[in-house]
Amino acid sequence: MDTVLITGANRGIGLAFARQYAADGWRVIATCRQPEAAADLAAIAGQVEVHPLDVTDEEQIAALAAGLVGTGLDILVNNAGINLPNRAMDGPTMADWNRLLAVNVTAPMLVTRALLPNLLAGRQKKAVFISSRMGSIGGNTSGGSHAYRASKAGLNAAAHSLALDCSPQGLLVVALHPGWVRTDMGGERADLTADDSVAGMRQVVDSLTPAMSGGFYNHDGAEIPW
């Protein structure tokens, strides 16, 4: 049985990943900050286990890794992320910037580092980072959202470096743009449902090759400029 670990799995894109993988017979290790409040996650049928994880808490990351010693992970989906409600140029404070960078850049890298032995023990050995087209410098023609853009550009850079570093060990790494998705973050006017977005991203992950590793792709498989 293949195994996937998903961060931020209690809602939106993370919840859709958990539902789809569970429906396909995978073992799903789902994490979120408050498992006791994750009713939708608890209701998923299949082999789903829920673990507490605040991705910015190094002790919780270490505890999760300690509890999974000897467990191979085929896919790690670093999904947990945040945005700022105030997108104005003069809006984000120092604390806002630090929070965005901690959750969107530092946390997924520390989670991946802690679970790297598990990934290398898995059959597929794939680390997935949910990024955003807003992290594309080459594709930025509108400006704005400085802190969020910087956090996703930073995530892309870190993921690309991880791919280069771990290529000899067979790890495949990809940064994915899920599209504009109807979630709490994306809003009701967004183009895609979470299920449609995740179905597309899963196809990209399924077809991931060493030549693609370290790349930045849209949910439909199109490459996105850095």
Side-chain angles (χ1 to χ4, degrees):
M1 177 183 292
D2 288 322
T3 301
V4 60
L5 190 149
I6 305 157
T7 66
N10 58 308
R11 62 179 184 172
I13 291 170
L15 183 63
F17 267 116
R19 283 175 172 156
Q20 290 190 22
Y21 276 117
D24 285 348
W26 285 56
R27 177 190 178 189
V28 175
I29 303 172
T31 75
C32 60
R33 286 183 297 171
Q34 297 178 306
E36 67 279 3
D40 291 338
L41 186 56
I44 297 176
Q47 189 166 338
V48 181
E49 55 194 77
V50 184
H51 295 256
L53 180 65
D54 178 339
V55 294
T56 63
D57 187 323
E58 291 186 79
E59 291 185 358
Q60 287 193 21
I61 294 173
L64 176 67
L68 294 175
V69 168
T71 297
L73 293 179
D74 292 282
I75 300 175
L76 168 62
V77 181
N78 286 291
N79 166 73
I82 60 171
N83 197 354
L84 293 172
N86 187 341
R87 299 160 69 94
M89 177 177 175
D90 60 351
T93 64
M94 180 71 76
D96 291 331
W97 274 87
N98 288 342
R99 177 66 176 164
L100 269 175
L101 294 172
V103 176
N104 292 354
V105 187
T106 308
M109 296 309 297
L110 293 186
V111 168
T112 304
R113 182 178 69 186
L115 297 176
L116 187 58
N118 306 84
L119 280 167
L120 296 179
R123 181 178 63 84
Q124 296 194 35
K125 299 178 176 62
K126 295 175 180 178
V128 178
F129 294 85
I130 303 304
S131 184
S132 170
R133 186 182 294 275
M134 292 183 73
S136 169
I137 297 174
N140 182 2
T141 60
S142 61
S145 301
H146 298 176
Y148 184 72
R149 287 185 185 278
S151 72
K152 291 302 186 180
L155 176 64
N156 291 348
H160 183 74
S161 288
L162 177 69
L164 296 174
D165 293 340
C166 294
S167 174
Q169 298 163 284
L171 184 70
L172 301 180
V173 180
V174 68
L176 293 177
H177 170 56
W180 187 19
V181 185
R182 290 195 290 274
T183 62
D184 290 344
M185 185 182 295
E188 295 183 355
R189 298 175 59 191
D191 300 328
L192 294 169
T193 66
D195 282 335
D196 288 342
S197 169
V198 168
M201 288 190 288
R202 287 185 61 198
Q203 289 184 8
V204 178
V205 174
D206 286 346
S207 62
L208 190 61
T209 65
M212 295 170 63
S213 186
F216 182 22
Y217 297 92
N218 194 31
H219 65 92
D220 62 5
E223 193 165 4
I224 299 175
W226 294 116

